[in-house]
Amino acid sequence: MAEEFKRRMHLYIIQTIYEAVCNPEGWSDVVGEIRKITGATSAFFMGIGPGAEQNASVVSKHVDRHLLVRADFVDIVHTVTASLGQGGTVALDIKRNGSAWQAYLADMFDCEGQLVIAIVIKEGQRRFILGLIFSYEDQADARLANELLMALTPHLQIAMSIHRQMLKDREKAERLDHFFPSPQRPASLSAMTSGLSKAIRPSSV
């Protein structure tokens, strides 16, 4: 029964992914369903351009999107994903008594645990990522979460590529980092990420 439930949930999420192609508001449902089935505390999609100084576009569940478009956080995401290829993942520890950027994440998400980032699409320096926050208080099944990410990523890539092509055909100049409307934010960046790239460690969630 449990396996059948997982299979049906998986198929439901895939259906939701492709429905979002013609309904941009549907991406919020997609990230919400991924959060639930992976057991993540919160989750988000983020599009960023060639450098953290670009405005980020975000859709999130159980985390304030205005926190995610802060210059310092976008700079962290930009730094840790710069050397990753499409389909790659990276995990960042969230610790209140850790390094400057680990403490920053702990304060931002008001928890300790792990931030897992998966690169869904990467075109040059433009990338579209899925972020999952796992709190230590949650008893998430990391193996299941990793299996789901691996199974869902190809569908996300196809759907987002179709979505982007539709926007290009309609508007002629739509960028990957503008799937969603985004508020303006300061361009100034924090220096706290200067040593972050040394601490990056690939993860299987």
Side-chain angles (χ1 to χ4, degrees):
M1 183 67 71
E3 289 301 321
E4 176 64 15
F5 175 76
K6 291 177 184 177
R7 186 186 71 81
R8 291 190 178 186
M9 284 300 297
H10 186 194
L11 291 175
Y12 174 74
I13 293 177
I14 292 175
Q15 177 182 341
T16 305
I17 288 171
Y18 288 110
E19 287 177 349
V21 171
C22 297
N23 176 26
E25 294 182 359
W27 290 111
S28 179
D29 295 330
V30 173
V31 75
E33 293 300 327
I34 291 176
R35 184 199 70 81
K36 287 191 291 186
I37 200 170
T38 58
T41 306
S42 52
F44 61 89
F45 284 132
M46 175 182 284
I48 56 176
E53 74 279 359
Q54 300 292 322
N55 287 332
S57 54
V58 171
V59 164
S60 60
K61 282 294 182 180
H62 290 221
V63 58
D64 189 342
R65 66 186 300 274
H66 289 89
L67 295 177
L68 300 173
V69 296
R70 286 179 178 176
D72 290 334
F73 181 68
V74 176
D75 192 33
I76 289 174
V77 174
H78 174 73
T79 301
V80 302
T81 59
S83 61
L84 293 178
Q86 185 164 291
T89 62
V90 64
L92 303 178
D93 288 328
I94 303 173
K95 297 180 179 179
R96 289 191 170 89
N97 61 349
S99 64
W101 59 268
Q102 289 173 331
Y104 175 85
L105 293 177
D107 179 66
M108 174 179 170
F109 295 121
D110 192 26
C111 72
E112 290 189 304
Q114 196 172 69
L115 167 62
V116 176
I117 295 175
I119 310 299
V120 179
I121 297 177
K122 186 172 184 179
E123 297 177 351
Q125 293 190 62
R126 292 193 178 110
R127 66 214 72 160
F128 193 83
I129 67 103
L130 168 65
L132 299 171
I133 298 97
F134 293 94
S135 169
Y136 286 145
E137 297 177 357
D138 290 338
Q139 300 300 314
D141 187 335
R143 180 188 59 80
L144 173 60
N146 186 54
E147 289 178 357
L148 286 167
L149 285 177
M150 292 178 65
L152 293 176
T153 295
H155 296 286
L156 288 169
Q157 291 170 344
I158 293 170
M160 290 177 182
S161 294
I162 295 172
H163 185 176
R164 187 180 180 221
Q165 188 59 50
M166 289 173 63
L167 291 174
K168 274 186 172 181
D169 292 343
R170 188 165 61 239
E171 300 179 14
K172 304 299 183 183
E174 187 67 26
R175 296 183 304 177
L176 179 63
D177 52 312
H178 284 280
F179 267 89
F180 314 111
S182 59
Q184 295 294 319
R185 61 179 180 77
S188 59
L189 302 175
S190 170
M192 71 168 63
T193 58
S194 59
L196 178 57
S197 58
K198 297 179 182 179
I200 299 173
R201 56 184 179 83
S203 169
S204 59
V205 183

